[in-house]
Amino acid sequence: MRSNRTRHLFVALASVAVLFAASVGPRDAAGQTPAGEPYKIGVTYPLSGPQGAWGQLLVPAMEIAVQHVNQAGGVSGRPLSLVIEDTKGNPEGAVSAMRKVVQVDRVAAILTIFTNVVSAQMPLADQLKVPLISPVEAPGLVAKSEWAFAHSPLLTRTLPLVSARWQRDKVKRLFAFFPNTPIAKFGSAIVKAEADKLGLQYEETLFKLGDTDFRGLITRAKNFNPDAIFIFGHGTPDEGVIMKQTRELGMNTQMYNGCACVTVKSYREAAGKAAEGVIYAGFKYDVGAARKLIDAYRGKLGFDPDYAGLEVYDMVFMIAEAIRKYGYGGDGIRRGLTEIKDFKSIGGGLVSMDKDRQSVVAVGLYQVKDVVKPEFVEISP
Amino acid sequence: MNTLQVLAIGLGLAGYYALVAVGFALIFATLRIFHIAHGTVFITGGYAFFLLHRVQGFGLILSGLLAIAAAALLGLAIDKAVYLPVLRRGGGLFSVFIASLGVSLIVEAGFLAYTKGVVSVARTDMLDILNAGPVAVRTLDLAVLAIVAVLYGLLYLWLHRTKVGLEVRGLTDNGSLAAVVGVNVDRTRTHIFLLASALAGIAGVLTAYDMGINPDSGSRTLFVAVVAVILGGLRNLLLGTLIGSVALGILTAYAGFFFPEWVTFGVFVTMILLILVRPQGLFG
Amino acid sequence: MEHLLYIGSLMCVWIIVSLAVNLVIGYAGMMAMGHAAYLGVGAYTAASLNIFLGVDYFSAMVIAALSGAVVAVLTLLPLLRLSGFYFALATLGLNFVFFDLFHNLAPRVEGSEGLHGLKLPALLTTADTRFMTTLVITAACILVATHLVGSPFGRLLRATRDRPEAVSAVGKNPTTCQVVVWGVSGALTGLAGALYAATLFYIDPTLFTLNASILMLVFVGVGGLASIAGSILGPVLLIAFTESLRFIGLPSQLLGPVQQGLYGALLIGLMIFRRQGLVGKHDFHE
């Protein structure tokens, strides 16, 4: 018995010694602080104005990404840094902001957002030879410029997951809401085609962004008496208000969303309890894979990042990788971005860039279980 | 076409318009001030309520009362700090109007900076609904109608049974004569701004609780209220404003149902037509 | 450097707009609160003609000016019988009416909210030539405006503003005067709209809201009513000031609200202390 106890003690002490040695062992190169003139990435985001919330929500995710890149040794030994300018969400501001970061601060690539802003910036990107990347979801938008990239889940990829569910739940009548913006044109075409394919009765309506009262439109939906309501927009809180007012007009129809917009805090807050049970398909958001980002973001802002936060986090890493491969310059970064294949997204899926500079991402189907915590559960189509 | 449902929605909206419009009408009728900044008083009430109740967690009634007080004080401050100085230095009513625009810009900029334009909704819970056939009515809608009825009743009593109310009516009928007869215009002015702003504040609180507000809500609600006032005319202030508000509520509800992208267009075309055809309103 | 040229081009555009607005508010005494509508008409006309019909941009600008004038006069006619305050309110209403028209009916380029992809002539493509061209056009507008206000018509205009009954007494029609100046104002604003589109490379309805009309009031109000110099001074000073805010470390997200708040404060300050503006010659007592 005495020898057993001694043996146990010896093993315990040895384990502790090994663990101790491992933790203070030689640091690998990844732990070294990057030094030198930082590689600057321009950020033209709305920080004020009606779209200002997006900037306030997404810029921190970019900053965390830069931090993580730098913590891992930077890019070829040099740190990354962001140069941020407010676009105010309108094209004039966007062009102004872009000119400043490119011509005054001399950045070699830009992170940007919103279809109308990107449309305004694309001719400038061509002229100034600066690649820009954004989470816009308008199909074919970035195909128009050799210098524009998009990292987002297209409706053509998310809708099949939702429509599989419609088939499963034997939906016969579908009503769709789109905002009164270009998204409606392509969104409607895609959804209508799907409805036709499944033989569903279909009706849709457009809502005005920034309105607070959608009950007139929802009454239209009530008249139609649908089995399913589909909402696809820009992920603004308006959609949350629509969900809430739908319930308040006495409709208990199952609601579906074409993007992971419920992950956005202001969206959830506008919807309140009405968002519970909503089924949506969007950017793959595996909580385990995104742990690093979630914890850092929670530390900064007090709540979890939304799906767009994951997208912009990826973008910073994509640009970093491009710089590593081809150097810091418009051409090099463009080449690097074009060649993205099987890039590991922070959300847990693999990403590749298609020939039109639109990223092809992993998507998932989820249901809102709890609005307050929040809690989203992945479900099968 | 679910006429009854749209009608129900319209009456609900009419309640908010009625509260904002009557304050605006009072100020315009008595002091001839086109108080565009009244819209910002409305959203201040709403935001104050949102901050106190949703963000800080204070109780419903307490937040509401404090928010209404904040709105009332803001309205009064605007008059004392902006309108009176303009008037005292020889500015006419148009100059006051421009100054009012200036106030709107400042207050809206403040809320824009703070909220980044995101809608602020003061509740998460679902409202109780009553289903009457094809129509769903929220208990909130009924409460709003009751509140409007009570407040209008009190306003009537105030205008016709109190001394201050008499003085206010005097100002409505003939401002300069009223001053000659000994009406304390300054004190009456204070009463008017406090009361009108409190009413707008109540509307703001209810709206924030109902559908939420964003920095645009102020001008949007205000302009509809203005059209309601033009429609109703100033001759019979309470009745005119009430009827104007109901008409605009129903108009905007129907417009929201049939052509939601043209609601603003519709409201302003109505305004222009009214100005051209019958600026004195229904009862003028 | 290119950034500065861009700011310069913007200043020129707003100088032309300020001239146009000052003509009607300062010289003619007509409270125009919705001129952004005409700016939009000019911008959309020029951009649409150029993008969809291939019209060369200089011709498109001329047509834009003409359409600005026509739309301005057409919208003025029903409002002529309105007195000062109701007139102002009606023009304000027009601003909103046109905004919805732009938003719902105006052409858009596939996939975006507005128009982009202008095919500009050489003189408008690179930043420095664009600035020079814009400057030349602006100078021409200043000359036209100066000539107009110095001419007998200009005196008639001021008389219409101050003593319309005297104008009728000498056998002239004040209304004709008002229509003409409003048309000229519309033409200048339409032209400015076309230049605006060329400077931004992109336009959409959000550029032509009530806020834009209020901006015009601020430029003219600060610079000075009934003053050509004021119409130049106002936009130059204010645009320079707000752009400089970007460089002194003001956080980018506060730039918009600060600018808006500042303009609000300026309006109030002007109305209390100096209604004629910096170098203005008319203090309106309404």
Side-chain angles (χ1 to χ4, degrees):
Chain A
M1 195 164 82
R2 194 163 168 241
S3 57
N4 264 348
R5 215 202 288 163
T6 318
R7 198 168 359 150
H8 289 156
L9 192 59
F10 176 77
V11 168
L13 281 175
S15 317
V16 170
V18 166
L19 284 169
F20 184 68
S23 71
V24 298
R27 281 179 158 219
D28 54 356
Q32 236 153 38
T33 354
E37 186 72 24
Y39 286 131
K40 294 184 286 192
I41 303 179
V43 178
T44 57
Y45 258 63
L47 298 169
S48 66
Q51 325 283 25
W54 286 108
Q56 308 285 349
L57 287 176
L58 296 178
V59 168
M62 297 173 204
E63 288 172 343
I64 291 171
V66 166
Q67 238 172 29
H68 288 174
V69 167
N70 291 345
Q71 274 164 7
V75 178
S76 313
R78 281 167 59 170
L80 274 187
S81 80
L82 298 172
V83 182
I84 305 171
E85 280 294 325
D86 182 10
T87 63
K88 300 179 204 161
N90 69 49
E92 182 177 5
V95 169
S96 236
M98 182 170 174
R99 283 184 188 277
K100 169 153 183 304
V101 297
V102 174
Q103 291 167 326
V104 176
D105 300 300
R106 310 243 149 253
V107 304
I110 300 184
L111 294 169
T112 181
I113 188 173
F114 293 135
T115 313
N116 60 340
V117 158
V118 171
S119 294
Q121 291 176 326
M122 275 171 19
L124 203 54
D126 285 344
Q127 203 189 53
L128 302 173
K129 306 224 182 312
V130 172
L132 50 84
I133 182 166
S134 72
V136 295
E137 296 173 6
L141 177 70
V142 293
K144 300 199 179 115
S145 157
E146 300 270 308
W147 295 85
F149 294 82
H151 176 43
S152 55
L154 294 183
L155 184 59
T156 39
R157 284 184 60 79
T158 54
L159 190 61
L161 292 175
V162 176
S163 73
R165 203 59 196 207
W166 291 336
Q167 286 184 295
R168 204 187 86 154
D169 296 337
K170 302 214 184 348
V171 166
K172 295 267 179 301
R173 300 169 70 79
L174 175 68
F175 193 94
F177 286 93
F178 302 100
N180 179 11
T181 61
I183 264 197
K185 196 143 178 243
F186 73 79
S188 167
I190 296 172
V191 175
K192 188 159 195 309
E194 193 68 21
D196 285 343
K197 204 174 90 181
L198 297 178
L200 306 177
Q201 304 254 29
Y202 175 76
E203 234 180 72
E204 65 180 35
T205 186
L206 302 179
F207 64 89
K208 205 169 180 188
L209 282 183
D211 257 358
T212 46
D213 182 24
F214 302 99
R215 290 176 296 167
L217 296 178
I218 301 172
T219 308
R220 272 205 201 152
K222 193 170 174 179
N223 269 1
F224 182 69
N225 197 13
D227 307 313
I229 290 181
F230 185 70
I231 305 178
F232 181 70
H234 299 267
T236 51
D238 312 66
E239 295 168 36
V241 176
I242 291 179
M243 288 182 181
K244 173 190 262 163
Q245 291 177 343
T246 302
R247 290 280 179 261
E248 286 174 1
L249 274 172
M251 293 176 75
N252 291 319
T253 327
Q254 172 68 48
M255 297 191 274
Y256 301 82
N257 202 324
C259 78
C261 307
V262 199
T263 54
V264 180
K265 184 160 181 276
S266 50
Y267 190 103
R268 272 201 313 280
E269 286 182 345
K273 291 227 164 47
E276 265 166 26
V278 167
I279 294 176
Y280 65 91
F283 195 82
K284 187 167 168 70
Y285 191 155
D286 182 56
V287 172
R291 182 88 299 174
K292 236 173 42 166
L293 171 59
I294 295 178
D295 287 342
Y297 195 91
R298 233 188 237 159
K300 260 194 189 215
L301 293 176
F303 50 87
D304 289 359
D306 50 68
Y307 75 98
L310 272 61
E311 286 172 356
V312 303
Y313 184 93
D314 280 349
M315 289 179 205
V316 170
F317 274 81
M318 286 175 178
I319 293 181
E321 191 54 37
I323 298 176
R324 227 170 258 139
K325 269 168 101 170
Y326 293 112
Y328 180 74
D331 258 314
I333 296 179
R334 176 170 73 135
R335 240 181 113 191
L337 289 176
T338 318
E339 292 177 4
I340 287 177
K341 194 159 159 57
D342 292 338
F343 170 89
K344 195 147 187 299
S345 162
I346 186 79
L350 290 178
V351 180
S352 299
M353 212 43 97
D354 74 14
K355 64 171 175 53
D356 285 328
R357 290 169 299 284
Q358 166 72 50
S359 74
V360 181
V361 309
V363 293
L365 190 68
Y366 302 86
Q367 187 165 33
V368 180
K369 188 148 169 232
D370 186 302
V371 177
V372 180
K373 272 197 245 174
E375 201 187 325
F376 311 106
V377 175
E378 185 155 11
I379 58 178
S380 60
Chain B
M1 221 279 313
N2 202 338
T3 320
L4 285 178
Q5 179 70 78
V6 180
L7 205 63
I9 294 172
L11 289 175
L13 290 174
Y16 299 129
Y17 298 147
L19 289 172
V20 174
V22 73
F24 181 86
L26 259 176
I27 294 174
F28 189 67
T30 53
L31 304 167
R32 294 276 176 271
I33 293 180
F34 200 90
H35 180 40
I36 267 204
H38 199 52
T40 53
V41 169
F42 164 77
I43 57 176
T44 299
Y47 274 118
F49 178 68
F50 171 76
L51 281 170
L52 291 167
H53 179 59
R54 186 83 195 269
V55 177
Q56 299 294 345
F58 292 157
L60 213 60
I61 306 281
L62 180 64
S63 309
L65 289 173
L66 287 174
I68 294 168
L73 289 173
L74 177 68
L76 185 64
I78 293 173
D79 183 48
K80 297 264 183 261
V82 177
Y83 297 162
L84 281 175
V86 173
L87 290 168
R88 284 203 193 104
R89 295 195 201 220
L93 293 163
F94 192 74
S95 306
V96 170
F97 172 65
I98 300 281
S100 194
L101 269 180
V103 172
S104 290
L105 286 182
I106 296 177
V107 177
E108 275 176 19
F111 284 124
L112 202 60
Y114 172 72
T115 64
K116 291 106 195 163
V118 176
V119 62
S120 306
V121 185
R123 69 180 158 95
T124 36
D125 292 329
M126 302 294 296
L127 292 171
D128 295 319
I129 29 177
L130 301 166
N131 278 305
V135 183
V137 171
R138 305 165 311 167
T139 48
L140 179 69
D141 292 324
L142 298 173
V144 169
L145 287 176
I147 291 174
V148 171
V150 167
L151 286 174
Y152 264 68
L154 289 174
L155 271 174
Y156 181 81
L157 291 174
W158 180 70
L159 279 176
H160 291 267
R161 299 286 154 82
T162 69
K163 181 161 171 291
V164 181
L166 199 63
E167 292 174 349
V168 170
R169 281 165 58 216
L171 275 177
T172 313
D173 291 332
N174 194 325
S176 36
L177 193 58
V180 167
V181 169
V183 170
N184 184 338
V185 181
D186 274 341
R187 199 193 55 188
T188 316
R189 202 188 172 96
T190 303
H191 279 118
I192 291 172
F193 266 98
L194 279 176
L195 183 62
S197 308
L199 288 167
I202 295 175
V205 167
L206 290 169
T207 308
Y209 187 76
D210 179 348
M211 2 182 193
I213 46 165
N214 57 38
D216 280 338
S217 304
S219 52
R220 213 167 330 132
T221 312
L222 181 82
F223 279 111
V224 179
V226 164
V227 182
V229 170
I230 296 178
L231 181 60
L234 295 173
R235 256 279 283 265
N236 190 333
L237 206 132
L238 290 177
L239 190 61
T241 308
L242 195 60
I243 294 186
S245 303
V246 170
L248 262 298
I250 296 178
L251 179 74
T252 48
Y254 271 92
F257 179 85
F258 282 114
F259 25 78
E261 297 137 58
W262 297 96
V263 176
T264 319
F265 177 90
V267 167
F268 282 100
V269 164
T270 308
M271 181 182 90
I272 295 174
L273 287 175
L274 277 175
I275 293 178
L276 285 175
V277 169
R278 202 177 163 81
Q280 69 272 40
L282 287 172
F283 300 107
Chain C
M1 188 52 194
E2 258 200 52
H3 187 68
L4 286 177
L5 290 173
Y6 169 72
I7 301 297
S9 299
L10 272 184
M11 282 182 184
C12 286
V13 169
W14 289 104
I15 288 175
I16 301 178
V17 173
S18 301
L19 283 171
V21 171
N22 214 341
L23 273 176
V24 291
I25 297 187
Y27 289 99
M30 305 166 80
M31 292 310 166
M33 310 228 37
H35 256 51
Y38 310 139
L39 189 70
V41 166
Y44 269 102
T45 306
S48 307
L49 285 173
N50 179 264
I51 294 174
F52 298 114
L53 294 177
V55 176
D56 78 280
Y57 210 74
F58 284 110
S59 309
M61 284 202 285
V62 170
I63 301 177
L66 283 172
S67 55
V70 167
V71 172
V73 168
L74 286 177
T75 51
L76 174 73
L77 292 175
L79 305 184
L80 277 171
R81 55 213 185 90
L82 294 176
S83 72
F85 186 69
Y86 280 124
F87 179 82
L89 205 56
T91 56
L92 194 144
L94 278 176
N95 201 149
F96 283 98
V97 165
F98 271 86
F99 175 80
D100 264 7
L101 285 172
F102 291 142
H103 191 265
N104 298 332
L105 295 179
R108 302 175 180 184
V109 167
E110 183 75 45
S112 81
E113 307 229 3
L115 295 174
H116 64 92
L118 296 174
K119 303 168 197 102
L120 297 174
L123 276 178
L124 286 174
T125 321
T126 49
D128 38 5
T129 52
R130 181 167 57 245
F131 177 64
M132 292 311 306
T133 314
T134 312
L135 198 62
V136 164
I137 296 177
T138 309
C141 291
I142 295 176
L143 281 173
V144 165
T146 312
H147 178 78
L148 198 66
V149 304
S151 70
F153 180 76
R155 285 195 286 280
L156 192 59
L157 210 55
R158 283 188 286 278
T160 312
R161 174 191 70 197
D162 300 326
R163 292 277 187 85
E165 61 281 2
V167 172
S168 316
V170 298
K172 306 269 186 188
N173 190 342
T175 309
T176 319
C177 203
Q178 289 178 322
V179 173
V180 170
V181 76
W182 192 267
V184 171
S185 176
L188 284 172
T189 313
L191 177 66
L195 276 172
Y196 195 37
T199 311
L200 296 179
F201 288 144
Y202 179 89
I203 53 166
D204 75 11
T206 60
L207 294 171
F208 310 113
T209 57
L210 181 64
N211 271 7
S213 292
I214 297 181
L215 194 69
M216 297 173 189
L217 290 181
V218 176
F219 286 155
V220 166
V222 166
L225 290 170
S227 155
I228 302 289
S231 309
I232 302 172
L233 207 59
V236 170
L237 283 180
L238 288 173
I239 293 178
F241 181 70
T242 48
E243 279 299 317
S244 67
L245 287 179
R246 222 193 254 278
F247 287 93
I248 61 161
L250 187 74
S252 216
Q253 65 260 39
L254 290 181
L255 207 68
V258 164
Q259 187 189 68
Q260 188 174 316
L262 206 75
Y263 287 164
L266 274 175
L267 279 180
I268 295 175
L270 284 172
M271 290 304 113
I272 296 178
F273 298 113
R274 203 173 164 85
R275 277 183 302 280
Q276 69 267 42
L278 282 173
V279 297
K281 301 190 195 98
H282 173 62
D283 176 4
F284 60 98
H285 284 284
E286 278 121 51

